[in-house]
């Protein structure tokens, strides 16, 4: 019932929902359109299709490049992991130009193949945070889709009314939070207090529209407070999602499993891998 707008960082109530005319800040999302070119996309997909796609859950197929993990028992070993694929080397280098990915070092890559004929989807979930770090990076290939965000928290979200400035943009709290300049009938500028209203987090869903060849990063609140999903109705054509994950603090410098983390990163960034 809300849609995320990258230009403002706001989730705005949809026109025909009960939240029309209301919005709230939705932090923790970075979206870059046209992250790769059509030629780069074609080359990547062609190289992926040379390898087998293994059946996955909910009508998806997958290719994994990463360590063997038992998340329930919190156990992990390198197994047959030989690194990320060679075609990802350029993509990973390109990520450095993104403000939120300057220090990003991926240790795992998962390619997921969605098609409407198989009813491909993924239910609302959190990615593991024992092994995987804060930033989840996904490249959306072949067709557009919608990333649906939902929250199980008992907290409330403070909505504020949206209003248009001269350029038609929304004003988030902080810029014109509680007061805005407006005119009365005598053209005299007065201060207008904007009201806000709380709404239970559970009643809110946020749609993040992912154009073809866009890169999306979830971090902070969008990573740890909001579940993400892809629903069947948003898979109209074949879609490939390429997700990169980094190590958690436990496997990074100063962490309990620092040495294992170093070993995995060295393997990952050799870019000599085949799907495991």
């Amino acid at each position: 019932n809300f849609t995320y707008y990258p230009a403002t960082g706001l989730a705005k109530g949809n026109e025909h929902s009960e939240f029309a005319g209301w919005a709230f800040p939705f932090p923790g999302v970075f979206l870059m359109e046209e992250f790769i070119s059509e030629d780069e996309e074609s080359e990547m997909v062609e190289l992926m299709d040379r390898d087998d796609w293994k059946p996955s859950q909910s009508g998806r197929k997958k290719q994994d490049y990463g360590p063997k993990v038992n998340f329930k028992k919190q156990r992990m070993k390198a197994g047959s992991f030989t690194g990320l694929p060679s075609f990802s080397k350029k993509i990973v280098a390109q990520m450095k130009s993104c403000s939120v990915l300057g220090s990003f070092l991926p240790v795992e890559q998962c390619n997921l193949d969605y098609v409407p004929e198989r009813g491909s989807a993924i239910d609302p979930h959190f990615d593991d945070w024992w092994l995987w770090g804060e930033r989840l990076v996904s490249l959306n290939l072949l067709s557009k889709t919608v990333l649906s965000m939902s929250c199980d928290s008992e907290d409330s979200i403070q909505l504020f009314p949206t209003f248009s400035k001269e350029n038609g943009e929304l004003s988030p709290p902080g810029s014109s939070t509680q007061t805005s300049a407006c005119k009365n009938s005598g053209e005299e500028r007065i201060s207008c207090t904007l009201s806000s209203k709380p709404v239970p987090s559970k009643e809110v869903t946020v749609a993040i529209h992912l154009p073809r060849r866009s890169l999306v990063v979830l971090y902070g609140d969008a990573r740890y407070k909001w579940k993400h999903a892809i629903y069947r109705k948003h898979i109209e054509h074949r879609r490939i999602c390429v997700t990169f994950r980094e190590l958690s603090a436990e496997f990074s410098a100063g962490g309990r499993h620092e040495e294992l983390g170093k070993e995995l990163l060295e393997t990952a960034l050799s870019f000599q891998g085949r799907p495991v």
Side-chain angles (χ1 to χ4, degrees):
N1 41 36
F2 285 78
T3 298
Y4 175 73
Y5 287 82
T8 59
L10 296 176
K12 179 185 175 187
N14 293 338
E15 191 177 336
H16 299 296
S17 80
E18 62 183 299
F19 301 114
W22 295 87
F24 67 99
F26 194 79
V29 180
F30 173 88
L31 181 67
M32 178 179 282
E33 297 189 25
E34 299 288 338
F35 184 75
I36 62 172
S37 67
E38 290 184 34
D39 288 344
E40 288 171 323
E41 177 189 51
S42 297
E43 183 182 359
M44 280 184 73
V45 173
E46 182 188 343
L47 290 169
M48 287 181 208
D49 284 342
R50 289 181 188 178
D51 285 313
D52 291 335
W53 289 91
K54 296 181 179 178
S56 184
Q57 298 171 323
S58 304
R60 292 167 292 142
K61 291 187 176 182
K62 68 177 179 179
Q63 294 174 341
D64 274 325
Y65 299 84
K68 190 173 183 181
V69 186
N70 185 322
F71 290 109
K72 285 184 179 178
K73 296 182 179 179
Q74 293 195 344
R75 291 179 186 167
M76 186 257 301
K77 57 183 179 181
S80 54
F81 178 42
T82 53
L84 304 188
S86 57
F87 60 79
S88 292
K89 189 172 186 177
K90 184 180 178 184
I91 300 295
V92 172
Q94 211 166 308
M95 289 179 189
K96 303 297 180 190
S97 64
C98 300
S99 56
V100 298
L101 294 176
S103 59
F104 185 75
L105 296 173
V107 73
E108 192 244 20
Q109 175 177 331
C110 181
N111 305 334
L112 287 169
D113 179 275
Y114 293 72
V115 292
E117 293 79 9
R118 293 196 304 265
S120 303
I122 187 165
D123 291 335
H125 67 285
F126 292 113
D127 277 30
D128 173 80
W129 47 64
W130 162 69
L131 178 58
W132 308 135
E134 178 163 353
R135 292 164 292 188
L136 305 177
V137 183
S138 291
L139 186 57
N140 186 57
L141 304 179
L142 295 182
S143 63
K144 66 179 181 178
T145 193
V146 176
L147 192 60
S148 298
M149 312 294 289
S150 57
C151 187
D152 293 338
S153 169
E154 297 295 334
D155 296 341
S156 292
I157 293 171
Q158 289 294 328
L159 305 181
F160 68 92
T162 59
F163 60 95
S164 295
K165 300 194 319 187
E166 287 180 11
N167 58 7
E169 289 183 356
L170 298 173
S171 293
S175 55
S176 308
T177 327
Q178 298 303 323
T179 60
S180 69
C182 55
K183 298 179 181 181
N184 63 10
S185 56
E187 293 298 307
E188 182 181 342
R189 299 186 73 79
I190 60 173
S191 178
C192 300
T193 302
L194 299 179
S195 60
S196 65
K197 70 172 179 179
V199 62
S201 299
K202 290 180 179 179
E203 293 183 11
V204 171
T205 57
V206 179
I208 302 174
H209 289 266
L210 304 181
R212 182 176 178 175
R213 295 189 303 280
S214 64
L215 184 87
V216 65
V217 184
L218 301 182
Y219 60 97
D221 284 1
R223 161 80 162 106
Y224 296 115
K225 292 185 178 180
W226 293 81
K227 292 182 177 180
H228 56 276
I230 300 281
Y231 294 121
R232 287 177 178 83
K233 65 182 179 181
H234 294 135
I235 300 298
E236 299 171 4
H237 308 283
R238 187 187 186 196
R239 176 225 179 204
I240 291 178
C241 172
V242 185
T243 295
F244 299 90
R245 298 180 176 93
E246 64 184 338
L247 289 169
S248 67
E250 193 167 330
F251 293 85
S252 303
R256 189 159 54 125
H257 301 299
E258 176 182 359
E259 289 306 314
L260 179 55
K262 277 184 183 175
E263 180 187 329
L264 288 171
L265 261 181
E266 193 174 314
T267 300
L269 300 179
S270 68
F271 295 101
Q272 297 175 355
R274 297 297 302 265
V276 295

